[in-house]
Amino acid sequence: MIYLLLFIEFFKIGLFSIGGGLSTIPFLSELGIKYNWYTQKGLIDMIAVSESTPGPIGINMATYVGYKTAGVLGAILASLSEVLPAIIIITIIAKTISNFKNNDYFNKLLIYIRPCTFALIVTAFINVFSNSVLPINQINNINAFINSIDIRLILIFIGIYLLKTKTKYHPLVYIVISAVIGIIIF
Amino acid sequence: MDKTKFGSLYISFFKIGLFTFGGGLAMLPMFEKEICEKHNWATTDEILDYYSISQMTPGVIAVNVATFIGNKEKGILGGVVATLGVISPSIMLISIIAAFINNIYSFPIVQNLLKGLACGVCALMIPSLIKFYKSSIKNIFTFIIFIVCLFLLLVVKISPIYIIISTIIFSVLINIKEIIK
């Protein structure tokens, strides 16, 4: 039955993709080939939609694939199955941590792991920045880089940053402002 | 049973899921607003540690943080409710788009909206990056770890998983004297 298949496959995806929603994409690609629930082209469209819709990309993808496969019920089932491994693992970790919270060497371990995590986050930021504002990750190809400079994007980026440093609104306010500016400028 | 706590967990994480474009670091401003400022469920430093742990575990950051916080407040069921909250907007929005307007992103006005929005989201990440920096890098030693990891990631292009595992092994070895005691 398709619901059982959805549950098993998305539970596996939820278990094996480490490091964010984008790492589910190779698994989803295989899934499409295995069961013929969607084409690779269809998958690419779903990725584009998932990246642009609010919410975690991994969940958006699961919902979309689930919907394509088995309607609303499929959408819900795929998403729930994908988050189940994380819920279980994190709950176990949370219980373990609360025993260690005052443990000295646990905290000492964290001291060295934090800079590593920060490096991962900086890398992620560079990728997002390159896709949105200015492709600094392609700086080794000077000509392509110079051609891709769009001063409007850079201005919006700087403008919103300055606004944020001077004001204290809810994050959503800045997001709406940047969206409206996008509609006006482009 | 304190129903209102479950209610506020669900609603807060629903808002986080609804107002976040782009996952990961982009969520930090929303996390701080809802979790730290509004409800005092955790400090910014705690959230940063959840981020660290999330890098090494399966699952999206949003779900991991939701489970941590929900668990902290209301045990296992709290973790589940918070997670349901954070994924509900995705399920609803994507289902509607998939059913009725699956070409929504081909309209120029929507594309322009997203172009501007992406820049704004990036801008909002900068203060979060700075906070994270201050929390992670306290001395020359941690700075070196950061630079080395960054170099391996960007220049050598080693997969994040190996970097994480190496760092864990490294930090265990550094502290091996204390652990043996």
Side-chain angles (χ1 to χ4, degrees):
Chain A
M1 199 166 94
I2 203 165
Y3 297 117
L4 188 59
L5 281 177
L6 272 177
F7 171 72
I8 295 175
E9 294 292 344
F10 275 93
F11 186 88
K12 283 197 303 196
I13 290 178
L15 189 56
F16 294 127
S17 30
I18 300 190
L22 294 173
S23 53
T24 64
I25 293 179
F27 295 104
L28 290 171
S29 180
E30 279 175 38
L31 202 66
I33 297 176
K34 187 172 175 187
Y35 293 107
N36 241 336
W37 285 335
Y38 45 87
T39 63
Q40 297 300 298
K41 164 83 173 46
L43 180 63
I44 293 179
D45 291 338
M46 289 194 267
I47 294 173
V49 171
S50 301
E51 284 178 340
S52 311
T53 311
I57 292 181
I59 308 296
N60 289 348
M61 287 298 308
T63 305
Y64 211 143
V65 169
Y67 185 91
K68 266 258 149 78
T69 309
V72 180
L73 218 50
I76 297 176
L77 186 58
S79 301
L80 289 178
S81 313
E82 188 172 278
V83 300
L84 194 55
I87 295 179
I88 296 174
I89 291 176
I90 295 292
T91 304
I92 295 174
I93 292 180
K95 296 283 184 223
T96 316
I97 286 185
S98 58
N99 296 334
F100 277 122
K101 227 180 184 154
N102 301 316
N103 192 313
D104 224 15
Y105 63 73
F106 178 71
N107 291 322
K108 287 211 173 112
L109 283 183
L110 267 183
I111 291 179
Y112 299 106
I113 295 183
R114 285 195 192 114
C116 171
T117 306
F118 184 60
L120 290 167
I121 288 183
V122 168
T123 309
F125 172 76
I126 291 177
N127 285 330
V128 177
F129 184 82
S130 299
N131 288 331
S132 318
V133 184
L134 189 65
I136 55 179
N137 60 357
Q138 318 237 358
I139 206 151
N140 43 353
N141 187 345
I142 292 284
N143 283 327
F145 175 76
I146 294 185
N147 285 334
S148 61
I149 296 182
D150 185 341
I151 193 76
R152 299 170 297 182
L153 296 169
I154 300 176
L155 285 176
I156 298 180
F157 172 76
I158 295 178
I160 297 286
Y161 174 70
L162 290 175
L163 186 65
K164 163 94 192 190
T165 51
K166 306 234 188 292
T167 53
K168 258 190 164 190
Y169 303 127
H170 192 282
L172 190 62
V173 170
Y174 305 103
I175 291 187
V176 168
I177 293 177
S178 54
V180 169
I181 296 180
I183 296 180
I184 298 177
I185 288 195
F186 293 108
Chain B
M1 196 150 81
D2 182 6
K3 291 266 174 71
T4 54
K5 206 47 169 313
F6 286 112
S8 32
L9 272 175
Y10 183 83
I11 291 175
S12 273
F13 278 95
F14 187 93
K15 285 200 264 187
I16 290 173
L18 185 59
F19 297 143
T20 307
F21 288 82
L25 189 63
M27 291 190 153
L28 195 56
M30 276 306 300
F31 281 142
E32 287 189 294
K33 191 84 199 175
E34 285 293 317
I35 298 175
C36 306
E37 271 178 55
K38 200 160 179 197
H39 288 115
N40 230 339
W41 285 330
T43 64
T44 302
D45 277 342
E46 282 176 318
I47 296 187
L48 295 179
D49 284 341
Y50 296 150
Y51 261 82
S52 294
I53 297 174
S54 297
Q55 299 285 355
M56 312 176 217
T57 56
V60 302
I61 279 231
V63 168
N64 291 349
V65 173
T67 308
F68 267 122
I69 304 276
N71 207 295
K72 200 182 179 211
E73 293 297 309
K74 274 308 214 179
I76 297 181
L77 200 54
V80 172
V81 166
T83 299
L84 289 177
V86 93
I87 68 176
S88 299
S90 292
I91 297 180
M92 293 179 198
L93 286 172
I94 294 284
S95 296
I96 294 174
I97 292 178
F100 302 120
I101 33 172
N102 62 351
N103 59 346
I104 184 176
Y105 296 108
S106 56
F107 295 120
I109 193 174
V110 176
Q111 287 175 347
N112 295 338
L113 187 156
L114 288 175
K115 259 189 182 173
L117 195 144
C119 298
V121 166
C122 266
L124 289 183
M125 286 193 213
I126 303 282
S128 304
L129 273 176
I130 297 175
K131 280 196 184 131
F132 224 132
Y133 176 83
K134 290 194 180 144
S135 166
S136 322
I137 310 215
K138 308 266 195 197
N139 50 36
I140 188 71
F141 199 35
T142 44
F143 184 74
I144 292 176
I145 296 181
F146 163 65
I147 292 291
V148 168
C149 289
L150 197 62
F151 178 78
L152 292 174
L153 282 166
L154 290 178
V155 180
V156 186
K157 301 212 193 219
I158 297 186
S159 168
I161 302 245
Y162 298 123
I163 310 233
I164 293 170
I165 295 180
S166 313
T167 310
I168 296 179
I169 295 178
F170 173 79
S171 61
V172 168
L173 287 176
I174 291 267
N175 289 304
I176 200 82
K177 283 184 267 173
E178 324 233 355
I179 297 177
I180 290 182
K181 265 194 212 145

